[in-house]
Amino acid sequence: MANEFHTKQLRGGYTTGACAAAGAKAAIMLMKGHKVEHLQIEALDGTMLDIPVKDVSLTAKGAVAEIVKHSGDDPDITDGVSVFTSVEQIEDGAGIHFFAGEGIGTVTKKGLSVPPGEPSINPGPRRLIIETIQKIAGADAAFNVIISIPGGRELAKKTLNPVLGIEGGLSIIGTTGVLRPMSEEGFKNSLVPQIDVALEAGYKTQVFVPGKIGQDAAASHGIPEGAVVQTSNFIGFMLESAADRGLDRVMLFGHIGKLAKVAAGTFYTHNRQGDGRMEAIAAYAAANGLPPEYVRKILTSTTTEAALPIIDDHGLQRVYDELAARASERAERYVFGQLKVGTVMVTLQGRVLGMDMNAKKMGEAFMWDIT
């Protein structure tokens, strides 16, 4: 009997930008005398989105609508939140103007798709809202649009907005308005704006950290916050993005468990995709004279932290510097020499284990406090 395989079809949803566009349409329809509980908008890719309207009411200057965000099977922190869109008609003006209400951030740094001082409503959502309004109010429609997400300030702390210099809340994002379950590609691309913001701040040398351990350690040793870029597991992708943007140098700063993988030639460091960290550490320890029985102990260790005492007890701390140098060499090769790369490896507590000469020179340029 042939085996049958069934793949679960993930449910899509709609973005906060689509919520705001639908809210604007519902508000204007009420201003025209039509109250709706459900409506359709056309996403920027032509998809028709059916969106319920939780509430809509008149205000002193126009109307406000509440739309509940639906993310489908996408792991989105805004799933289920209410997006409020207030629309106010401009009597003696032109165009559609956007304002940040409660829980919506304001851009404070250069390098993003929206200039400093503007509400963090990305170009895609702005276009979607404008087109939606113009379809029901005409090409010469003149409105102020105020978007609010109560609780957005707290939710934003769980995003990259604080790193990107978006203050006061969430961003209204999305490219088309359609929310499909986030792909790996989508997540990777969400990390790249950090590079652009750091570049605009003048950092042609940037410090890439795979996680919070590296981020905290870099800060504790005097690396400026504005130069630090989070890569998650996508070290190779972020190195390529840095090279494409013309960076001069990148310092990899993180836990040995992540960066030993880079030394082994693994540039997507999720443990289910590439896990040669113990083999890399064991190989360099063996090359420096660690007896075979202790090499085997490293290979059977469940964590890199468990392997460190074995290396330290044998006075082989130089292994860490060599691993760092190898990680830098592999990283430079990965981007075909377009970047100079240095590497600093730390413990879970942020103690520096080793680094190469490239990292030392970069750190000195940052005037860090590592000797």
Side-chain angles (χ1 to χ4, degrees):
M1 181 182 295
N3 290 327
E4 294 184 2
F5 296 91
H6 300 278
T7 301
K8 177 184 177 183
Q9 184 68 40
L10 296 178
R11 298 172 302 147
Y14 36 83
T15 65
T16 50
C19 291
K25 180 175 181 178
I28 293 173
M29 289 178 71
L30 182 61
M31 291 165 67
K32 290 176 174 288
H34 305 287
K35 186 172 184 176
V36 296
E37 295 181 352
H38 197 279
L39 53 73
Q40 281 192 332
I41 64 167
E42 184 179 359
L44 295 180
D45 65 356
T47 301
M48 297 306 297
L49 295 173
D50 295 296
I51 300 178
V53 180
K54 183 175 181 180
D55 190 29
V56 59
S57 59
L58 293 172
T59 65
K61 296 182 179 180
V64 59
E66 178 185 0
I67 307 290
V68 176
K69 167 74 177 298
H70 172 60
S71 299
D73 286 320
D74 189 72
D76 190 325
I77 64 167
T78 59
D79 186 37
V81 305
S82 288
V83 179
F84 292 86
T85 307
S86 297
V87 175
E88 301 173 353
Q89 189 156 17
I90 304 172
E91 299 297 335
D92 298 315
I96 295 170
H97 307 275
F98 294 93
F99 298 88
E102 177 188 357
I104 301 300
T106 298
V107 176
T108 67
K109 294 182 180 179
K110 296 180 179 179
L112 298 176
S113 57
V114 176
E118 283 285 309
S120 187
I121 304 168
N122 285 3
R126 289 179 185 239
R127 180 182 158 202
L128 178 60
I129 295 166
I130 290 170
E131 290 186 2
T132 300
I133 290 174
Q134 289 178 339
K135 284 174 183 175
I136 59 170
D140 58 350
F143 291 95
N144 289 329
V145 177
I146 306 99
I147 304 173
S148 305
I149 299 179
R153 182 182 291 271
E154 285 301 311
L155 285 174
K157 295 177 182 178
K158 301 177 182 179
T159 73
L160 285 174
N161 276 15
V163 176
L164 297 174
I166 298 170
E167 297 181 356
L170 293 164
S171 298
I172 300 297
I173 60 174
T175 52
T176 64
V178 182
L179 182 59
R180 297 180 174 88
M182 181 175 272
S183 65
E184 177 182 299
E185 198 68 22
F187 181 61
K188 289 193 297 186
N189 289 331
S190 74
L191 298 169
V192 174
Q194 298 174 93
I195 299 175
D196 298 327
V197 170
L199 266 176
E200 284 290 342
Y203 292 109
K204 294 274 284 184
T205 298
Q206 296 181 13
V207 180
F208 283 11
V209 298
K212 187 165 177 54
I213 294 169
Q215 181 180 2
D216 290 346
S220 71
H221 290 295
I223 299 296
E225 181 183 359
V228 176
V229 169
Q230 298 178 31
T231 68
S232 186
N233 288 305
F234 306 107
I235 295 175
F237 171 77
M238 293 296 279
L239 286 169
E240 290 177 322
S241 299
D244 290 344
R245 283 159 172 73
L247 265 69
D248 295 329
R249 303 183 296 180
V250 166
M251 184 194 301
L252 303 178
F253 202 124
H255 188 257
I256 186 172
K258 289 289 186 185
L259 298 185
K261 295 180 184 182
V262 176
T266 298
F267 289 89
Y268 175 42
T269 58
H270 192 284
N271 59 14
R272 294 184 65 185
Q273 301 296 322
D275 191 12
R277 66 197 193 285
M278 307 312 300
E279 289 79 3
I281 294 170
Y284 276 84
N288 278 278
L290 186 68
E293 61 268 30
Y294 292 100
V295 173
R296 283 191 288 272
K297 284 186 177 182
I298 291 177
L299 289 171
T300 57
S301 296
T302 55
T303 67
T304 51
E305 292 287 322
L308 302 185
I310 300 172
I311 294 172
D312 294 342
D313 289 347
H314 287 80
L316 297 178
Q317 287 82 2
R318 60 184 175 275
V319 166
Y320 307 131
D321 291 339
E322 292 183 8
L323 280 167
R326 183 61 167 168
S328 297
E329 179 186 342
R330 281 284 179 87
E332 289 182 2
R333 187 189 307 171
Y334 189 83
V335 293
F336 304 103
Q338 292 179 272
L339 288 170
K340 180 65 70 176
V341 180
T343 301
V344 180
M345 294 183 173
V346 301
T347 65
L348 284 172
Q349 293 73 37
R351 176 174 64 88
V352 173
L353 290 168
M355 69 183 80
D356 63 346
M357 288 304 300
N358 288 347
K360 289 181 181 177
K361 292 177 181 177
M362 295 178 199
E364 288 167 1
F366 281 122
M367 295 184 292
W368 66 1
D369 59 3
I370 298 177
T371 56

